[in-house]
Amino acid sequence: MSGGGARRLRMRALTVVVVASNALGNAALDWGVKGLPGGIRLAPWALARAVFNPWVGLGIGLLALWMLTRMTLLSWADLSFVLPVTSAGYVATALVGRYVFGERVAGVRWAGTALIAAGVALVSTTRERTGSAVGETD
Amino acid sequence: MTRWVLVGVVAGATIAADLLQTMEMRRHGEVRLGGGWVREAAAVLRRPYIVAAVGFMAVSFFAFLKLLSIAELSFAVPATAGSVVVETMLAKVVLKERVEARRWAGACLVACGVALLAL
Protein backbone atom coordinates (compact mmCIF):
# COMPACT_ATOMS: atom_id res chain seq x y z
CA MET A 1 0.00 0.00 0.00
CA SER A 2 1.34 3.49 -0.87
CA GLY A 3 2.14 6.00 1.88
CA GLY A 4 -0.85 8.09 0.84
CA GLY A 5 -3.15 5.03 0.89
CA ALA A 6 -1.92 3.96 4.32
CA ARG A 7 -2.38 7.51 5.58
CA ARG A 8 -5.94 7.64 4.27
CA LEU A 9 -6.75 4.26 5.83
CA ARG A 10 -5.31 5.41 9.16
CA MET A 11 -7.37 8.60 8.92
CA ARG A 12 -10.58 6.64 8.23
CA ALA A 13 -9.95 4.20 11.11
CA LEU A 14 -9.37 7.08 13.53
CA THR A 15 -12.49 8.86 12.24
CA VAL A 16 -14.54 5.73 13.05
CA VAL A 17 -13.17 5.77 16.61
CA VAL A 18 -13.97 9.51 16.95
CA VAL A 19 -17.53 9.00 15.66
CA ALA A 20 -18.24 5.87 17.75
CA SER A 21 -16.85 7.27 21.01
CA ASN A 22 -18.89 10.47 20.53
CA ALA A 23 -22.18 8.70 19.75
CA LEU A 24 -21.81 6.09 22.52
CA GLY A 25 -20.59 8.73 25.00
CA ASN A 26 -23.63 10.94 24.32
CA ALA A 27 -25.95 7.93 24.62
CA ALA A 28 -24.40 6.88 27.96
CA LEU A 29 -24.74 10.46 29.28
CA ASP A 30 -28.36 10.61 28.15
CA TRP A 31 -29.14 7.28 29.83
CA GLY A 32 -27.37 8.33 33.05
CA VAL A 33 -28.87 11.84 33.28
CA LYS A 34 -32.41 10.62 32.62
CA GLY A 35 -31.96 8.05 35.41
CA LEU A 36 -31.00 10.65 38.04
CA PRO A 37 -33.80 11.30 40.53
CA GLY A 38 -35.20 14.78 39.72
CA GLY A 39 -32.97 15.17 36.64
CA ILE A 40 -29.84 17.31 36.84
CA ARG A 41 -29.29 20.77 38.33
CA LEU A 42 -26.38 23.14 37.61
CA ALA A 43 -25.42 23.39 41.31
CA PRO A 44 -21.82 22.15 41.89
CA TRP A 45 -22.83 19.45 44.39
CA ALA A 46 -25.55 18.12 42.10
CA LEU A 47 -23.08 18.00 39.19
CA ALA A 48 -20.45 16.23 41.32
CA ARG A 49 -23.04 13.62 42.32
CA ALA A 50 -24.07 13.15 38.70
CA VAL A 51 -20.46 12.35 37.74
CA PHE A 52 -20.52 9.33 40.10
CA ASN A 53 -23.49 7.80 38.30
CA PRO A 54 -21.95 4.81 36.41
CA TRP A 55 -23.57 5.72 33.09
CA VAL A 56 -22.54 9.38 33.37
CA GLY A 57 -19.04 8.17 34.31
CA LEU A 58 -18.94 5.86 31.28
CA GLY A 59 -20.15 8.73 29.10
CA ILE A 60 -17.39 11.01 30.43
CA GLY A 61 -14.78 8.28 29.81
CA LEU A 62 -15.95 7.80 26.22
CA LEU A 63 -16.02 11.56 25.64
CA ALA A 64 -12.44 11.80 27.01
CA LEU A 65 -11.43 9.16 24.41
CA TRP A 66 -13.36 11.21 21.82
CA MET A 67 -11.45 14.35 22.76
CA LEU A 68 -7.99 12.73 22.55
CA THR A 69 -8.71 10.98 19.23
CA ARG A 70 -10.28 14.13 17.78
CA MET A 71 -7.25 16.21 18.80
CA THR A 72 -5.07 13.65 17.01
CA LEU A 73 -7.30 13.91 13.94
CA LEU A 74 -7.09 17.73 14.07
CA SER A 75 -3.28 17.43 14.03
CA TRP A 76 -3.57 15.46 10.76
CA ALA A 77 -6.34 17.34 8.92
CA ASP A 78 -8.13 20.70 8.50
CA LEU A 79 -10.95 21.71 10.85
CA SER A 80 -13.14 22.24 7.77
CA PHE A 81 -12.48 18.57 6.86
CA VAL A 82 -12.81 17.08 10.35
CA LEU A 83 -16.09 18.83 11.21
CA PRO A 84 -18.30 17.51 8.38
CA VAL A 85 -16.65 14.08 8.32
CA THR A 86 -17.16 13.52 12.05
CA SER A 87 -20.78 14.67 11.63
CA ALA A 88 -21.41 11.00 10.89
CA GLY A 89 -21.73 10.97 14.69
CA TYR A 90 -25.15 12.61 14.39
CA VAL A 91 -26.30 9.77 12.16
CA ALA A 92 -24.93 7.26 14.67
CA THR A 93 -26.64 9.14 17.52
CA ALA A 94 -29.98 9.13 15.67
CA LEU A 95 -29.63 5.36 15.17
CA VAL A 96 -28.78 4.84 18.86
CA GLY A 97 -31.75 7.04 19.86
CA ARG A 98 -34.06 4.99 17.64
CA TYR A 99 -32.84 1.44 18.22
CA VAL A 100 -31.39 1.59 21.76
CA PHE A 101 -33.69 4.12 23.46
CA GLY A 102 -36.76 3.50 21.30
CA GLU A 103 -37.19 7.20 20.48
CA ARG A 104 -39.57 7.91 17.63
CA VAL A 105 -37.66 8.98 14.50
CA ALA A 106 -39.95 10.57 11.90
CA GLY A 107 -39.42 10.29 8.14
CA VAL A 108 -38.08 13.84 7.95
CA ARG A 109 -35.34 12.89 10.41
CA TRP A 110 -34.31 9.94 8.24
CA ALA A 111 -34.13 12.43 5.31
CA GLY A 112 -31.82 14.59 7.46
CA THR A 113 -29.71 11.55 8.21
CA ALA A 114 -29.38 10.82 4.47
CA LEU A 115 -28.29 14.44 3.78
CA ILE A 116 -25.64 14.26 6.50
CA ALA A 117 -24.35 10.97 5.08
CA ALA A 118 -24.16 12.57 1.61
CA GLY A 119 -22.27 15.58 3.04
CA VAL A 120 -19.84 13.30 4.85
CA ALA A 121 -19.25 11.29 1.65
CA LEU A 122 -18.65 14.47 -0.37
CA VAL A 123 -16.18 16.04 2.06
CA SER A 124 -14.30 12.76 2.50
CA THR A 125 -13.30 12.97 -1.18
CA THR A 126 -11.41 16.25 -0.60
CA ARG A 127 -7.76 16.57 0.41
CA GLU A 128 -7.71 16.49 4.20
CA ARG A 129 -4.90 19.01 4.70
CA THR A 130 -4.73 22.36 2.90
CA GLY A 131 -3.14 24.66 5.52
CA SER A 132 0.40 24.61 6.87
CA ALA A 133 1.25 20.99 7.62
CA VAL A 134 4.03 20.70 10.16
CA GLY A 135 5.43 17.18 10.13
CA GLU A 136 3.26 16.00 7.23
CA THR A 137 4.73 12.86 5.77
CA ASP A 138 3.20 12.34 2.34
CA MET B 1 -37.07 29.10 25.31
CA THR B 2 -34.59 27.89 27.94
CA ARG B 3 -33.55 25.03 25.70
CA TRP B 4 -32.66 27.39 22.83
CA VAL B 5 -30.56 29.55 25.20
CA LEU B 6 -28.73 26.38 26.20
CA VAL B 7 -28.31 25.46 22.51
CA GLY B 8 -26.67 28.89 21.98
CA VAL B 9 -24.30 28.42 24.90
CA VAL B 10 -23.35 24.90 23.74
CA ALA B 11 -22.76 26.04 20.12
CA GLY B 12 -20.77 29.20 21.01
CA ALA B 13 -18.52 27.40 23.48
CA THR B 14 -17.99 24.51 21.02
CA ILE B 15 -16.92 26.89 18.22
CA ALA B 16 -14.40 28.64 20.48
CA ALA B 17 -13.03 25.30 21.69
CA ASP B 18 -12.66 23.91 18.15
CA LEU B 19 -10.79 26.98 16.87
CA LEU B 20 -8.40 27.01 19.82
CA GLN B 21 -7.77 23.24 19.56
CA THR B 22 -7.08 23.41 15.84
CA MET B 23 -4.65 26.33 16.26
CA GLU B 24 -2.72 24.48 18.94
CA MET B 25 -2.68 21.12 17.15
CA ARG B 26 -1.43 22.78 13.98
CA ARG B 27 1.34 24.43 15.97
CA HIS B 28 2.20 21.10 17.63
CA GLY B 29 2.40 19.08 14.39
CA GLU B 30 1.13 15.59 13.69
CA VAL B 31 0.51 13.36 16.68
CA ARG B 32 1.82 9.85 15.95
CA LEU B 33 -0.23 6.80 16.86
CA GLY B 34 1.64 4.05 18.72
CA GLY B 35 3.07 3.31 22.15
CA GLY B 36 3.47 6.91 23.26
CA TRP B 37 0.17 8.17 21.84
CA VAL B 38 -1.69 8.69 25.12
CA ARG B 39 1.38 10.34 26.71
CA GLU B 40 1.85 12.68 23.75
CA ALA B 41 -1.84 13.56 23.55
CA ALA B 42 -1.97 14.10 27.32
CA ALA B 43 1.13 16.36 27.14
CA VAL B 44 -0.64 18.52 24.56
CA LEU B 45 -3.46 19.01 27.10
CA ARG B 46 -1.13 21.29 29.13
CA ARG B 47 -0.68 23.82 26.30
CA PRO B 48 -2.39 27.19 26.92
CA TYR B 49 -4.82 27.13 23.98
CA ILE B 50 -5.82 23.56 24.82
CA VAL B 51 -6.37 24.54 28.47
CA ALA B 52 -8.63 27.37 27.28
CA ALA B 53 -10.35 25.00 24.83
CA VAL B 54 -10.99 22.51 27.65
CA GLY B 55 -12.56 25.37 29.65
CA PHE B 56 -14.94 26.15 26.77
CA MET B 57 -15.64 22.42 26.39
CA ALA B 58 -16.52 22.23 30.09
CA VAL B 59 -19.01 25.10 29.65
CA SER B 60 -20.41 23.34 26.59
CA PHE B 61 -20.53 19.98 28.41
CA PHE B 62 -22.46 21.19 31.48
CA ALA B 63 -24.86 23.25 29.35
CA PHE B 64 -25.36 20.11 27.23
CA LEU B 65 -26.03 17.98 30.34
CA LYS B 66 -28.67 20.50 31.42
CA LEU B 67 -30.14 20.47 27.91
CA LEU B 68 -30.35 16.66 27.98
CA SER B 69 -32.34 16.83 31.20
CA ILE B 70 -35.07 18.95 29.56
CA ALA B 71 -35.01 17.72 25.93
CA GLU B 72 -34.70 14.48 23.97
CA LEU B 73 -31.28 13.32 22.82
CA SER B 74 -32.52 13.39 19.25
CA PHE B 75 -33.31 17.13 19.66
CA ALA B 76 -30.29 18.10 21.74
CA VAL B 77 -27.53 16.69 19.55
CA PRO B 78 -28.71 17.93 16.13
CA ALA B 79 -29.84 21.33 17.45
CA THR B 80 -26.36 22.06 18.81
CA ALA B 81 -24.72 20.97 15.56
CA GLY B 82 -26.00 23.81 13.36
CA SER B 83 -22.69 25.59 13.86
CA VAL B 84 -20.90 23.52 11.18
CA VAL B 85 -21.24 26.19 8.46
CA VAL B 86 -20.18 29.00 10.83
CA GLU B 87 -17.15 26.95 11.84
CA THR B 88 -16.28 26.27 8.19
CA MET B 89 -16.37 30.04 7.52
CA LEU B 90 -14.15 30.67 10.53
CA ALA B 91 -11.77 27.90 9.40
CA LYS B 92 -11.36 29.79 6.13
CA VAL B 93 -11.08 33.29 7.65
CA VAL B 94 -9.21 32.63 10.90
CA LEU B 95 -7.26 29.43 10.15
CA LYS B 96 -6.64 30.26 6.46
CA GLU B 97 -7.78 26.83 5.26
CA ARG B 98 -8.56 26.45 1.56
CA VAL B 99 -12.22 25.47 1.56
CA GLU B 100 -13.02 24.17 -1.93
CA ALA B 101 -16.50 23.91 -3.45
CA ARG B 102 -16.99 20.22 -2.54
CA ARG B 103 -16.14 20.99 1.07
CA TRP B 104 -18.63 23.91 1.19
CA ALA B 105 -21.26 21.71 -0.43
CA GLY B 106 -20.61 18.92 2.06
CA ALA B 107 -20.77 21.32 5.03
CA CYS B 108 -24.07 22.77 3.71
CA LEU B 109 -25.53 19.28 3.21
CA VAL B 110 -24.57 18.40 6.77
CA ALA B 111 -26.12 21.64 8.10
CA CYS B 112 -29.35 21.02 6.14
CA GLY B 113 -29.44 17.43 7.37
CA VAL B 114 -28.96 18.60 10.94
CA ALA B 115 -31.77 21.14 10.52
CA LEU B 116 -34.10 18.37 9.32
CA LEU B 117 -33.09 16.19 12.27
CA ALA B 118 -34.11 19.01 14.63
CA LEU B 119 -37.65 19.27 13.21
Side-chain angles (χ1 to χ4, degrees):
Chain A
M1 188 183 288
S2 69
R7 181 186 168 81
R8 187 150 279 236
L9 189 64
R10 206 175 40 152
M11 180 91 64
R12 285 183 179 167
L14 190 63
T15 302
V16 168
V17 177
V18 172
V19 167
S21 56
N22 186 226
L24 295 175
N26 283 330
L29 276 184
D30 183 55
W31 186 259
V33 167
K34 296 251 161 69
L36 293 173
I40 191 164
R41 286 173 292 118
L42 287 179
W45 177 242
L47 289 174
R49 264 185 41 195
V51 167
F52 288 102
N53 174 285
W55 286 104
V56 174
L58 176 65
I60 290 171
L62 284 167
L63 291 179
L65 174 66
W66 166 73
M67 185 183 171
L68 291 179
T69 49
R70 191 169 180 270
M71 275 169 47
T72 302
L73 199 56
L74 281 171
S75 80
W76 296 354
D78 290 345
L79 177 62
S80 59
F81 177 88
V82 171
L83 273 178
V85 166
T86 54
S87 294
Y90 301 118
V91 177
T93 299
L95 294 173
V96 169
R98 170 69 184 86
Y99 293 106
V100 178
F101 296 123
E103 292 180 356
R104 194 179 64 80
V105 180
V108 70
R109 284 189 177 169
W110 289 121
T113 301
L115 282 183
I116 292 171
V120 169
L122 197 58
V123 173
S124 66
T125 64
T126 66
R127 183 173 161 75
E128 64 269 12
R129 195 61 175 273
T130 64
S132 59
V134 182
E136 190 165 8
T137 53
D138 72 344
Chain B
M1 181 61 189
T2 307
R3 63 184 192 167
W4 285 108
V5 171
L6 287 168
V7 166
V9 172
V10 173
T14 301
I15 290 171
D18 280 349
L19 288 176
L20 289 167
Q21 266 190 90
T22 307
M23 284 178 195
E24 191 64 68
M25 296 317 292
R26 187 175 291 181
R27 199 183 307 177
H28 174 80
E30 293 195 352
V31 175
R32 296 189 184 282
L33 291 179
W37 172 70
V38 173
R39 201 169 345 125
E40 185 179 357
V44 172
L45 287 174
R46 291 196 289 271
R47 290 172 174 248
Y49 278 17
I50 298 293
V51 171
V54 170
F56 279 112
M57 288 174 83
V59 171
S60 171
F61 172 75
F62 286 119
F64 185 69
L65 270 189
K66 179 68 184 169
L67 183 59
L68 279 182
S69 71
I70 60 172
E72 279 192 351
L73 179 68
S74 50
F75 165 83
V77 171
T80 52
S83 57
V84 64
V85 174
V86 176
E87 285 202 59
T88 302
M89 282 178 199
L90 291 173
K92 181 177 170 60
V93 174
V94 179
L95 303 173
K96 310 294 181 204
E97 293 178 4
R98 288 194 293 276
V99 183
E100 60 177 281
R102 270 183 300 171
R103 213 176 260 189
W104 277 120
C108 290
L109 280 174
V110 167
C112 291
V114 165
L116 284 181
L117 284 183
L119 285 178

